[in-house]
Amino acid sequence: MRAEQLTDPITFHGEGPVWSPAWGGLRLVDLFAGDVLTLGEGGAVSRRHIDAIAAALRPRAAGGAVIATERGFTLEDADGTRRALPSVWGDETVRMNDGGCAPDGSFYCGSMGYDQRTGAGSLYRLAADLSVTVALSGVTISNGLEWSPDGSLAYYNDTPTGQVGVFDWSPETGLTGLRPFVTIPEETGYPDGLTVDSDGGVWVALYAGGAVHRYTAAGVLDTVIEVDAHRVTACTFGGEALDRLYITTSREGVADGEDLLAGSIFTAVPGVTGRPVGTFAG
């Protein structure tokens, strides 16, 4: 299957697509621009600047959004008013990267070094009471976190490992028991953002691989969606029936005149449906 180009190249480093009826459609980040983009009807795109970095976002239960910024979190109300929470760390060489909401309404987001140095990142948990704890330390490029349909598992990428990992999860213990789920050969690409469909299939964006792969809950590759851009960053299900896969791409590191569709949004209709996005309870 081949994805269709939906937009022109509209991002430098498009990431973190999220579909929410509360937003009226799709939002994503242009990470290094610090912007949140909204895809409107007819393909119109609007852009709002948030901070030096806008890394990931999820809807809030009360309306608005929680947004991961360079070194912490910002809360956006339904009317667009924003409040930055205190920085989680002071090291200016480390930034937030990607995250997702757990079934208990907490927001997990992971970090990485700007220089991608080994072990510089951590995975943080923002609770509904706005307290922050470290869920996992010593990661390199924290990416792609999403839960299984029954909430008992969470899939996770530390991109340079070449593995999609899986945690056990419960409200009482949080994320525990990280272990390999699938290993992706280096020549195929690097696991970036991911999403999970209603059947428990895990869809993984392959950075430097020009594709999205679906793995069954047993870890078997059963679908490949080819994308006409090399640096595929993330994917999510959207549309009223959650039957359309939206795919983001990046121009980071792309020379002028090369990979001309990089930075575009792509779509595909793969024949399965996604699940409503998790919301932040805070």
Side-chain angles (χ1 to χ4, degrees):
M1 183 181 299
R2 183 172 293 276
E4 298 181 359
Q5 184 185 3
L6 179 63
T7 71
D8 292 333
I10 58 172
T11 61
F12 175 74
H13 189 69
E15 270 281 9
V18 178
W19 179 279
S20 174
W23 294 336
L26 186 77
R27 290 186 181 178
L28 64 147
V29 298
D30 193 352
L31 190 146
F32 293 110
D35 293 347
V36 170
L37 282 63
T38 301
L39 183 67
E41 293 185 9
V45 177
S46 61
R47 179 184 290 262
R48 293 178 296 119
H49 184 69
I50 304 299
D51 207 330
I53 293 287
L57 76 162
R58 287 295 185 274
R60 295 173 67 190
V66 57
I67 306 168
T69 53
E70 187 173 31
R71 293 190 295 278
F73 302 97
T74 289
L75 300 181
E76 182 179 75
D77 294 334
D79 65 2
T81 303
R82 294 192 296 271
R83 172 168 62 102
L85 302 181
S87 295
V88 177
W89 66 86
D91 186 349
E92 296 182 356
T93 70
V94 176
R95 65 167 176 84
M96 284 292 197
N97 194 54
D98 197 7
C101 279
D104 67 353
S106 55
F107 180 49
Y108 286 80
C109 197
S111 63
M112 60 176 286
Y114 275 102
D115 60 359
Q116 303 184 14
R117 64 188 183 277
T118 302
S122 297
L123 181 62
Y124 297 91
R125 177 182 183 265
L126 176 66
D129 65 3
L130 306 186
S131 62
V132 180
T133 54
V134 176
L136 181 68
S137 59
V139 300
T140 301
I141 302 178
S142 188
N143 253 322
L145 180 65
E146 188 55 86
W147 276 255
S148 62
D150 67 0
S152 67
L153 302 172
Y155 299 95
Y156 174 72
N157 295 333
D158 185 359
T159 294
T161 68
Q163 293 181 336
V164 180
V166 60
F167 289 99
D168 296 311
W169 188 87
S170 74
E172 295 76 25
T173 62
L175 297 171
T176 58
L178 179 63
R179 57 199 179 273
F181 172 61
V182 297
T183 299
I184 297 173
E186 184 173 348
E187 62 271 16
T188 303
Y190 297 91
D192 202 324
L194 62 79
T195 193
V196 179
D197 65 35
S198 58
D199 293 331
V202 183
W203 297 80
V204 183
L206 296 181
Y207 192 87
V212 177
H213 282 185
R214 180 187 191 266
Y215 297 90
T216 69
V220 177
L221 175 65
D222 71 350
T223 304
V224 174
I225 298 179
E226 297 178 347
V227 181
D228 290 329
H230 194 52
R231 290 164 167 79
V232 182
T233 55
C235 55
T236 195
F237 282 92
E240 291 185 5
L242 296 178
D243 59 350
R244 182 173 293 274
L245 191 69
Y246 290 87
I247 303 165
T248 53
T249 61
S250 174
R251 291 201 58 79
E252 183 184 13
V254 176
D256 290 344
E258 296 182 358
D259 204 1
L260 297 180
L261 300 186
S264 304
I265 301 172
F266 294 81
T267 65
V269 181
V272 297
T273 58
R275 299 174 299 121
V277 65
T279 59
F280 177 53

